[in-house]
Amino acid sequence: MFLRRREKTVICSLTVSLPERVPRFKTELEPFGALGDLGWYCIKFGLSVCGFENKVIKVHADAVRHPETKSITAAVCSVFFEDGKSLMFDCEFNKAGANYWAEVIGGTGSIYVEDFVLPYKGSTAVCKKEELSPDLLYYKSKNLKVTEEGNFQEVFPPETEKIVVTNTYGISQCALMFEDFREAMGDPEKADRWAMEALATQTVLDTLYEEAKRDSTWSDHANRLS
């Protein structure tokens, strides 16, 4: 049996290998830790799909803090929207490696983004310089199709299409961000969009942070430190 309509679910995983001496482990410099750093990108990616003005009706967040610095080193979060869409992500500072993938799952198929941060390729922190690319690669899969009668029919195996979005500037995502800043300075409409997206992202982040503080995992770690 197939449902005629299933709202989108966005799943993200963003993990970065970092030494503990970097400022991100200092709560006075980054009070939100991994949630405020890596989680920000997951939230913004999710909102770009689910809608920046979509109303959040429920959140859940589990967080783990560093035993000495008390900074958030890992978090697992869920965000549920009024129209049925949802965002689920995990983010973590570790010493093992890196993940930058995201997946959007809808009623008739899915989109898988291998690396939504860039310029890393292949979801690995160990890359040769010549392997880095500013282009965005993603895979679009279709597992249901609509018949002439208007019913849904399963597509097996799913039809998968590899799509490359070429970066016409030929520069990294980081450099593109500053290029967007430059353009926004001369374009009030673009500046307003930047402000709206940033505020929406921060609002969800603040809500998840407060939820994480109430979680038992956070409390257990806090008790051990006190």
Side-chain angles (χ1 to χ4, degrees), residues 132-150:
L132 302 181
S133 171
D135 296 338
L136 175 64
L137 170 66
Y138 71 92
Y139 298 88
K140 183 178 180 180
S141 299
K142 184 176 182 181
N143 50 35
L144 289 179
K145 67 179 180 180
V146 180
T147 65
E148 294 181 357
E149 294 78 19

Side-chain angles (χ1 to χ4, degrees), residues 25-188:
F25 284 91
K26 301 181 182 299
T27 55
E28 64 272 22
L29 298 177
E30 175 49 271
F32 293 89
L35 180 59
D37 187 343
L38 307 181
W40 169 277
Y41 298 102
C42 295
I43 295 169
K44 189 169 185 181
F45 182 92
L47 291 179
S48 69
V49 176
C50 297
F52 285 96
E53 298 181 353
N54 206 345
K55 184 179 179 181
V56 175
I57 60 172
K58 183 180 179 182
V59 301
H60 180 72
D62 292 328
V64 176
R65 295 196 290 176
H66 191 278
E68 296 178 3
T69 67
K70 302 182 183 181
S71 63
I72 297 177
T73 57
V76 179
C77 304
S78 301
V79 182
F80 301 91
F81 299 91
E82 188 175 41
D83 62 357
K85 296 183 177 69
S86 59
L87 163 64
M88 302 176 186
F89 70 89
D90 64 88
C91 54
E92 180 180 4
F93 293 148
N94 67 21
K95 300 178 182 179
N99 281 314
Y100 306 122
W101 64 268
E103 187 170 12
V104 181
I105 304 172
T108 59
S110 63
I111 294 176
Y112 175 76
V113 182
E114 185 181 65
D115 188 340
F116 71 94
V117 176
L118 299 177
Y120 291 114
K121 299 288 290 182
S123 298
T124 175
V126 183
C127 299
K128 296 179 181 178
K129 186 174 181 180
E130 59 269 19
E131 293 176 345
L132 302 181
S133 171
D135 296 338
L136 175 64
L137 170 66
Y138 71 92
Y139 298 88
K140 183 178 180 180
S141 299
K142 184 176 182 181
N143 50 35
L144 289 179
K145 67 179 180 180
V146 180
T147 65
E148 294 181 357
E149 294 78 19
N151 300 316
F152 285 104
Q153 180 179 345
E154 184 177 9
V155 178
F156 186 81
E159 300 173 357
T160 301
E161 180 182 3
K162 179 180 178 181
I163 301 173
V164 177
V165 180
T166 303
N167 182 340
T168 55
Y169 287 94
I171 56 180
S172 69
Q173 285 285 91
C174 297
L176 279 175
M177 180 178 66
F178 286 100
E179 182 67 21
D180 279 347
F181 282 143
R182 184 191 65 79
E183 293 179 359
M185 291 176 65
D187 186 342

